[in-house]
Amino acid sequence: MYKRMLLMSLIATSFFNLCQANERWQGLVVEPENRCTPYDKKDYPYSQSVEDDIVESMSGRVYGPYSGNYFDSDTKTDIEHMVATSEAHDSGLCSAPDSVKAEFASDLLNLTLAAPKVNRCSALGKCGLDAAEWMPNRNKCWFVNRIILVKQKYKLSVDRAEVAALGEVLSSCDNFELIYHDAVNAQLVGRPIPNYQDALSKYDDNRNGKISCKEARLHGIAPVRRGDEAYKYMSDRDGDGVVCE
């Protein structure tokens, strides 16, 4: 009897593992990230000239979709990989040929512009985080759609946290077009619009130096995840990186 129960348990476990291995979402394999080889940024080369291609793809606008800001020169922006090269590496490209890694790094489908403070490792920075860890304040539907398209193109995986974050945004999307905020005004005055505001000035309605869940929901930014500009002003009591879920 014991041997039979043990055999049944092993069969059930194997079946469960097989189901997990075959789980897919939007055509993508759902599995934990795996760094099968060491990550080296030099394995993902791209030319600085691709920045001009990004500007051309936005009809000549030097625009940061994540914040809705305009810039008077692309010298004030970074080239931003929507699916970060480090995340792509851990989601399947770690075993890809060098040619595929180079193609990924220069693929306009995955490239946009961002202010250095948004792109790099800072309090507000994306810094290689995936969609479960960081979402832009603006153009979320466009961003999420691009993440999915890029991962489909390069056969990259998603983990369960990404599925939850991406799916939550998708459920409220009417379209996936890139929105140029205040674009008409920018073209009329012919100069950048200073559009950035600190999170407190945008969401702290009672001016107490903190952002509550009530305020976050009122402004449509809940749930707030680690990496979001509002997160550092909120209380994440269970430390799971998500507030007001």
Side-chain angles (χ1 to χ4, degrees):
M1 176 65 73
Y2 173 76
K3 289 183 178 179
R4 183 180 179 185
M5 291 177 63
L6 179 60
L7 179 61
M8 294 297 292
S9 176
L10 290 173
I11 293 174
T13 301
S14 298
F15 180 75
F16 176 74
N17 290 337
L18 180 63
C19 289
Q20 281 194 316
N22 293 331
E23 184 180 356
R24 288 181 177 270
W25 180 81
Q26 298 286 331
L28 303 171
V29 174
V30 180
E31 62 183 11
E33 292 181 358
N34 175 37
R35 183 160 291 188
C36 61
T37 60
Y39 170 72
D40 187 340
K41 192 174 182 178
K42 294 178 182 177
D43 292 336
Y44 294 85
Y46 59 90
S47 170
Q48 191 66 31
S49 64
V50 77
E51 199 159 21
D52 295 331
D53 297 329
I54 299 170
V55 173
E56 183 178 348
S57 73
M58 295 192 289
S59 302
R61 300 176 178 93
V62 185
Y63 178 69
Y66 297 163
S67 61
N69 286 352
Y70 295 81
F71 303 86
D72 55 9
S73 169
D74 62 14
T75 61
K76 297 182 179 179
T77 58
D78 282 352
I79 296 170
E80 151 68 4
H81 290 85
M82 286 176 268
V83 176
T85 54
S86 58
E87 191 216 332
H89 187 83
D90 296 347
S91 301
L93 287 191
C94 57
S95 60
D98 291 343
S99 58
V100 175
K101 293 177 181 177
E103 178 188 350
F104 174 85
S106 298
D107 193 335
L108 281 176
L109 183 66
N110 189 41
L111 296 178
T112 190
L113 300 178
K117 64 185 174 185
V118 175
N119 178 56
R120 302 177 191 178
C121 296
S122 66
L124 302 177
K126 182 167 176 279
C127 190
L129 299 176
D130 65 27
E133 301 163 323
W134 187 93
M135 277 281 177
N137 288 325
R138 296 189 170 184
N139 278 302
K140 288 184 179 181
C141 290
W142 167 83
F143 175 77
V144 163
N145 186 54
R146 284 296 187 92
I147 294 291
I148 294 170
L149 290 176
V150 169
K151 291 212 165 194
Q152 289 173 339
K153 180 175 180 179
Y154 289 92
K155 297 179 172 59
L156 304 180
S157 63
V158 287
D159 59 35
R160 291 182 181 277
E162 286 179 85
V163 170
L166 294 168
E168 182 179 346
V169 174
L170 279 179
S171 67
S172 61
C173 293
D174 295 323
N175 67 76
F176 303 108
E177 296 298 318
L178 175 60
I179 298 172
Y180 293 95
H181 294 277
D182 297 322
V184 174
N185 291 334
Q187 291 167 354
L188 286 174
V189 300
R191 56 184 175 81
I193 297 176
N195 204 28
Y196 179 79
Q197 290 180 296
D198 181 79
L200 285 178
S201 62
K202 288 192 285 186
Y203 309 127
D204 180 19
D205 297 329
N206 62 8
R207 298 294 184 261
N208 67 348
K210 300 177 182 179
I211 299 173
S212 67
C213 285
K214 179 179 179 181
E215 290 168 332
R217 293 188 180 101
L218 179 64
H219 290 278
I221 62 170
V224 180
R225 292 179 165 79
R226 183 181 290 116
D228 189 283
E229 64 171 340
Y231 178 88
K232 64 180 180 179
Y233 300 110
M234 304 187 74
S235 176
D236 185 5
R237 294 180 179 178
D238 59 5
D240 67 348
V242 184
V243 185
C244 310
E245 57 266 61

